[in-house]
Amino acid sequence: MSTLDNNIIHRHRTAMVRHDLSQPMALLVRHGLIKPGVQVFDYGCGQGDDLRILGASGIEATGWDPHFRPEADRSPAPVVNLGFVLNVIENPAERREALTKAWALAQQVLAVSTMIVGQSPIGGLRSHGDGFITSRGTFQKYYLHAELRALLTQVLGTEPVAVAPGIYFVFRSPEDEQEFLLNRRAGRRASAASYRVARAPLSSRPAAPTLSERLPTALPELAQFMRQRGRVPQLDELAAAVHTELADQKVSLARAVDACLGALLAQEEFEAAATARREDLLVHQALGLLNRSTSASRPSPGMVRDIRTHFGNQKELALQAVQYLHGLADESRVQATIVEAANQGLGVLDHRQRLVVDGSRAEGLPALLRCYLGCATFLSGEPDGAFVLRIDAPRKRVAMWQLIDPKEALPRAEISIRVDLRRQDVNIRPDPRRLLRKGQLLGLAARSKQRRAEDAYRIEQGLHEDTVFENLQT
Ligand SMILES: C[S@@+](CC[C@H](N)C(=O)[O-])C[C@H]1O[C@@H](n2cnc3c(N)ncnc32)[C@H](O)[C@@H]1O
């Protein structure tokens, strides 16, 4: 609680009851930073619902809050969350203090989130300092996404990583940051991969247990590693349980890898994984150069091994990355790649030859366009959940719309995130629209029910057949 003009600001009233994880906690889980065995500390935990939900999944999570848990210890942890706290503090010096204290506890990563401009209507609110007093007597500051980045950089002395609008992760070590960035880019593809069921033996004669049966932990873990990195692991990259199983069964790593390639991972799949990892490293390196990221020169030990396998050495990777960057600056090359992507059915062109893509298919775009998008999401983070994006090569702009319910026949969006790469500017604003070409974006056949429904709607509304988004703003 703090006083102002004889009024009281009730900071704790901003703490809501949650039934699902808050967005920053959910993102920490999704990116594999919160996982069993990793402790979490929630700084400004409110009523503690995130702690309860994480605890129920076996995660050791504790927290402190000046109102709800003032007596709790503020203890260091690998993962610390400062979730929607800075925006409820009306005093800038106190915000910096909370940020510094939370960072001091973070051994590996600090997640910082705030409300951002455009997220809630402010009409009718009384302004106070750099924010507003709400009808419930609380204070809210709505940050510009870039303003939050500047605050974190200035106070913590290190560059944060944008994860979603208003949400940043700050890493303690450059190696962890690099590992996160690279895997984030590869993340969608990796998480979509599921284990294959081992092939049934050809003969029905009772046979000695196969290696798949003798190595129920090691083989799936090997397959997962090889799928993600496109290379064979070294022993020290595997979990202790795998070491024990291999030793107990007296099976060498090389033999286990062979068995894995026979049973769980097809050779072509492994080769495709190698190509994908190569491209990921290239895009990652190019973005590191472009953004002059200080951590880019500090790959994690695992990445160093990836680079050696896929490029021979760091110098070769750097050379190829520079060629990529030249490609990005070349507008006609970007536009040609856009047309090529549309011809391959990866997205659709609108009336101004801008490429519109379903977010779930962005990882399948040609590397040059992924690099283009990577530059945009470096500045803005990605929308949470399903979204549609649009690349405008001549104006060097990327726009993203988060879909409220992607299952709707004509999904709606309420907010857009627009990134101007020339000015390095992010603008998040109310922008209600209806998506009219979902069927095409998802690559559905023209005869599909979805496509027919879209056509019927366009005709009924008298909209041009190129219309991708119907603007609902009055
Ligand atoms: C909007 S709530 C967020 C709670 C929780 N992190 C969540 O996401 O559900 C803001 C919380 O910040 C707490 N708070 C206020 N001032 C703080 C400070 N200086 N340091 C840490 N937390 C503070 C409030 O008591 C309130 O519970």
Side-chain angles (χ1 to χ4, degrees), residues 11 14-15 18 43-46 64-66 68 83-85 89 94:
R11 285 189 193 162
T14 57
R18 294 186 185 279
Y43 196 100
C45 61
W64 172 85
D65 191 285
F68 295 97
F84 304 104
V85 170
I89 302 176
E94 216 180 309

Side-chain angles (χ1 to χ4, degrees), residues 272-417:
T275 308
R277 189 65 171 180
R278 230 183 104 78
E279 267 204 349
D280 286 337
L281 282 164
L282 208 49
V283 169
H284 176 76
Q285 178 78 12
L287 289 176
L289 289 174
L290 193 73
N291 300 313
R292 292 196 207 92
S293 145
T294 44
S295 70
S297 56
R298 303 272 297 273
S300 68
M303 281 172 69
V304 170
R305 287 174 179 172
D306 290 351
I307 293 167
R308 262 195 228 126
T309 307
H310 299 300
F311 290 88
N313 55 45
Q314 176 77 37
K315 200 168 157 208
E316 181 58 31
L317 170 61
L319 268 175
Q320 293 196 26
V322 170
Q323 285 167 8
Y324 250 79
L325 290 181
H326 285 307
L328 273 191
D330 182 346
E331 185 189 311
S332 56
R333 188 164 156 209
V334 176
Q335 190 58 39
T337 315
I338 279 180
V339 173
E340 189 190 311
N343 289 341
Q344 286 171 17
L346 295 167
V348 299
L349 292 179
D350 71 2
H351 59 294
R352 279 156 70 181
Q353 297 293 294
R354 297 173 295 194
L355 181 70
V356 184
V357 179
D358 187 87
S360 67
R361 304 179 82 202
E363 291 300 323
L365 288 172
L368 187 68
L369 297 185
R370 288 202 288 127
C371 203
Y372 209 87
L373 288 177
C375 295
T377 51
F378 170 82
L379 295 169
S380 68
E382 266 187 11
D384 200 28
F387 68 102
V388 166
L389 62 93
R390 185 179 71 195
I391 304 177
D392 182 343
R395 295 204 290 171
K396 291 204 165 31
R397 285 187 190 169
V398 173
M400 293 170 268
W401 288 265
Q402 187 173 340
L403 302 177
I404 298 167
D405 177 4
K407 291 202 195 80
E408 276 183 316
L410 305 170
R412 280 164 306 120
E414 267 172 4
I415 288 175
S416 64
I417 305 168

